[in-house]
Amino acid sequence: MTVRLRPHHLLCMLTFIGKGYTAAFTENYRLIAKRLSAGEDILIVEGPDDICAPMLGETDHHCLCDSVTERDLKSSEAVEALLGMPAGPGVSIHPDADFLARMRKAFRAGFLRDGCARCEWSPLCTGIAASGFEDVLVVSPGG
Ligand code: SF4
């Protein structure tokens, strides 16, 4: 199995501690966090992904907004610059300990945060990074 993620969710998964828009959203996200923590690969996709899925039936979701597409583009560029490899739709990533550590170090330093501009969750994510990613639910396999 592969977890389908849009580019900016490569950032969001670093700070997920179980909070989110709706109960269905967080329940689904917790299952995805478990799958990633068990070592399932990520397939980067364009547009709504496995994390977005429960929101698509809501009337006020923003999964298809231009601002979110822009967030994906900026996140993709930042991840590419960090890892020195493509990070756009069609690319597979194995979320091992090294990947998560490199991503979290860069996120905490602010290097990956261009895509976070105007996100309502930004103060929460900044605080989680500042805490050393305490209580996050995506961890390295076995970690
Ligand atoms: S601030 Fe928003 S876009 Fe950035 S990681 Fe947090 S939830 Fe994701």
Side-chain angles (χ1 to χ4, degrees), residues 5-133:
L5 293 185
R6 63 192 308 165
H8 85 267
H9 282 162
L10 294 172
L11 278 55
C12 305
M13 71 173 198
L14 303 173
T15 56
F16 179 59
I17 58 169
K19 294 182 187 290
Y21 299 102
T22 65
F25 177 83
T26 55
E27 187 179 339
N28 176 64
Y29 204 155
R30 281 178 183 274
L31 291 174
I32 289 170
K34 272 190 190 164
R35 290 169 57 194
L36 292 169
S37 300
E40 269 190 47
D41 282 347
I42 295 166
L43 174 65
I44 303 177
V45 297
E46 187 171 350
D49 63 3
D50 290 346
I51 290 176
C52 298
M55 298 304 291
L56 298 177
E58 304 283 334
T59 52
D60 58 348
H61 74 76
H62 58 234
C63 311
L64 294 165
C65 292
D66 288 347
S67 60
V68 180
T69 302
E70 179 69 16
R71 180 166 291 155
D72 283 331
L73 283 175
K74 287 185 173 171
S75 301
S76 196
E77 286 170 5
V79 173
E80 286 177 0
L82 175 71
L83 301 180
M85 57 170 269
V91 170
S92 290
I93 291 179
H94 184 57
D96 60 13
D98 180 61
F99 169 78
L100 291 173
R102 289 177 73 187
M103 290 284 286
R104 286 193 167 118
K105 184 176 178 188
F107 187 93
R108 185 173 180 171
F111 182 74
L112 287 177
R113 300 296 305 269
D114 280 2
C116 299
R118 294 179 300 283
C119 176
E120 66 187 279
W121 300 98
S122 195
L124 176 71
C125 293
T126 299
I128 291 166
S131 78
F133 299 94

